[in-house]
Amino acid sequence: MSAPPFQAQAQYGGRDHVGYGEKPPKAPWPNNAKVALSLVVNFEEGAENCLLHGDKQSEHLLSEIIGVPPYKDARHLNMESLYDYGTRAGFWRIRRALDDRNVPATVFGCGMALERHPEAVSAMVKSGWEVSSHGYRWIDYQDVDEATERSHIKATIAVHEKMVGAKPAGIYQGKPNLNTRKIVVEEGFLYDNDVYSDDLPYFTTHDGVLSKPHLVLPYTLDTNDMRFNISHGYSHAEEFYNYLKDALDTLLEEGRAGTPKMMTVGLHCRIIGRPSKIRGLMKFLDYAKTKGDDVWFCRRDEIANLWYKNFYPPGHGPAPVVPIVGRVGASL
């Protein structure tokens, strides 16, 4: 029996099992912060699977109807209204909670969802949030052909340019395929978030597929409100608060020991936007605020900009500059 390909290799097929190793670089956060705290607001409602959107089935993921199968060739009215709650009520509650605490955010905005709700997009811009891309649709791109995926990415860029006034610097496709990162680089994105593999940003050439180093900022499915809507996740706001607090405390300890990290909190309008659940987020933000300069509340484009400035690999020309669009009072 022949040995499997890539046996004993640390890097193969776009995977890297080693990363920074025992001694990661010292993250250059402002004011010598120990943790860069990135809040991500996923704006997906209106871009999910639905017959009204031209799809062949209803949505079935991340709702309060846990475990429901998709309805083939039929609408699921309860699912539709659960999603509608996110943009009708949940988004505004999240915005108030963050604005009241002067905390910035990055929006992962699906193009189709953004174009349905101009008022919300204007509010994001007014609050000084980064409006990053979440692709055009909140669907699984695993089996979507390259031409279709590229057309969707071009469409979402056009939505951002029209509604936000600028091309997004970053993208989180969410459910990518082997072609996604190549398309993202070719379409001019300066970073993507489609990894979960580290507590720090890093550059990749995707195993030699890319012509230049590309920056990725790890996202999370762990410090993420999606766990309210799975069978073994959070059951109430205090659990969410404690989980986030434990994560922050651990990262603060590591940062004070000399290795600052980033922490991401994933939020969804239809989930954390519910009155009881948001109490956990509010309590966590208030706790993080007590840490003073040790916690840097930031947008993801700010993190990306610093990483390009300090760690862009030599031999590839000048480091790209990530534009910080619409951020008042950014300290970089």
Side-chain angles (χ1 to χ4, degrees):
M1 183 177 179
S2 61
F6 312 120
Q7 187 173 17
Q9 293 184 22
Q11 297 179 339
Y12 58 96
R15 300 183 67 181
D16 180 355
H17 295 280
V18 177
Y20 290 124
E22 185 179 7
K23 297 181 178 180
K26 184 173 182 178
W29 308 145
N31 300 316
N32 197 31
K34 307 305 184 288
V35 177
L37 182 55
S38 165
L39 301 184
V40 172
V41 178
N42 289 271
F43 198 84
E44 301 161 340
E45 295 86 353
E48 78 281 0
N49 281 289
C50 179
L51 263 66
L52 297 175
H53 304 161
D55 304 307
K56 296 181 179 180
Q57 65 180 38
S58 65
E59 187 54 66
H60 66 289
L61 295 175
L62 295 190
S63 85
E64 291 166 346
I65 315 175
I66 297 173
V68 64
Y71 289 0
K72 303 293 184 181
D73 298 315
R75 293 174 62 186
H76 193 314
L77 299 184
N78 286 349
M79 182 67 69
E80 291 174 16
S81 65
L82 285 168
Y83 268 69
D84 290 345
Y85 184 91
T87 48
R88 290 169 61 100
F91 168 78
W92 301 107
R93 186 169 287 119
I94 295 169
R95 181 177 181 246
R96 287 193 298 272
L98 270 58
D99 281 1
D100 287 349
R101 292 162 176 79
N102 194 29
V103 171
T106 289
V107 177
F108 285 172
C110 293
M112 179 183 279
L114 294 175
E115 61 188 346
R116 295 186 193 280
H117 205 327
E119 184 183 6
V121 177
S122 296
M124 298 169 193
V125 174
K126 185 177 180 180
S127 291
W129 295 359
E130 175 196 10
V131 188
S132 186
S133 176
H134 197 354
Y136 188 66
R137 298 291 314 279
W138 196 70
I139 60 174
D140 192 342
Y141 281 89
Q142 176 64 34
D143 297 320
V144 173
D145 64 89
E146 182 174 346
T148 299
E149 184 177 20
R150 187 183 297 275
S151 71
H152 281 203
I153 289 175
K154 286 181 178 292
T156 204
I157 290 172
V159 170
H160 280 257
E161 290 175 336
K162 177 182 178 181
M163 301 188 72
V164 182
K167 180 178 180 177
I171 185 171
Y172 174 66
Q173 190 75 308
K175 304 168 193 172
N177 59 62
L178 290 175
N179 295 318
T180 301
R181 180 159 291 140
K182 178 176 70 73
I183 299 172
V184 162
V185 172
E186 290 172 353
E187 294 301 326
F189 286 91
L190 295 176
Y191 74 94
D192 76 66
N193 304 269
D194 278 306
V195 297
Y196 310 92
S197 50
D198 212 302
D199 298 307
L200 287 172
Y202 60 89
F203 289 98
T204 181
T205 61
H206 204 64
D207 219 30
V209 172
L210 307 179
S211 60
K212 59 183 179 180
H214 174 67
L215 182 64
V216 293
L217 271 62
Y219 187 50
T220 182
L221 301 180
D222 124 90
T223 47
N224 191 313
D225 69 0
M226 65 167 280
R227 298 184 63 81
F228 276 110
N229 286 5
I230 59 176
S231 59
H232 54 288
Y234 311 123
S235 60
H236 53 80
E238 193 71 13
E239 284 188 346
F240 187 52
Y241 162 70
N242 284 325
Y243 198 91
L244 297 182
K245 178 181 179 295
D246 286 348
L248 181 62
D249 286 346
T250 298
L251 294 173
L252 283 170
E253 289 176 3
E254 294 178 4
R256 290 165 181 157
T259 56
K261 304 286 173 47
M262 63 179 286
M263 176 178 169
T264 299
V265 179
L267 307 170
H268 297 76
C269 300
R270 64 191 177 279
I271 301 177
I272 203 68
R274 291 285 177 174
S276 62
K277 294 172 184 173
I278 202 168
R279 303 302 296 183
L281 174 65
M282 295 162 70
K283 187 174 179 179
F284 170 71
L285 294 178
D286 292 339
Y287 173 76
K289 283 277 186 177
T290 68
K291 302 304 176 181
D293 287 344
D294 276 356
V295 175
W296 176 40
F297 292 88
C298 57
R299 306 182 346 172
R300 295 176 85 77
D301 53 359
E302 295 175 308
I303 295 174
N305 193 40
L306 283 177
W307 218 258
Y308 268 114
K309 285 182 178 179
N310 289 274
F311 300 115
Y312 191 62
H316 300 279
V321 176
V322 180
I324 310 300
V325 177
R327 178 77 160 105
V328 178
S331 55
L332 298 179

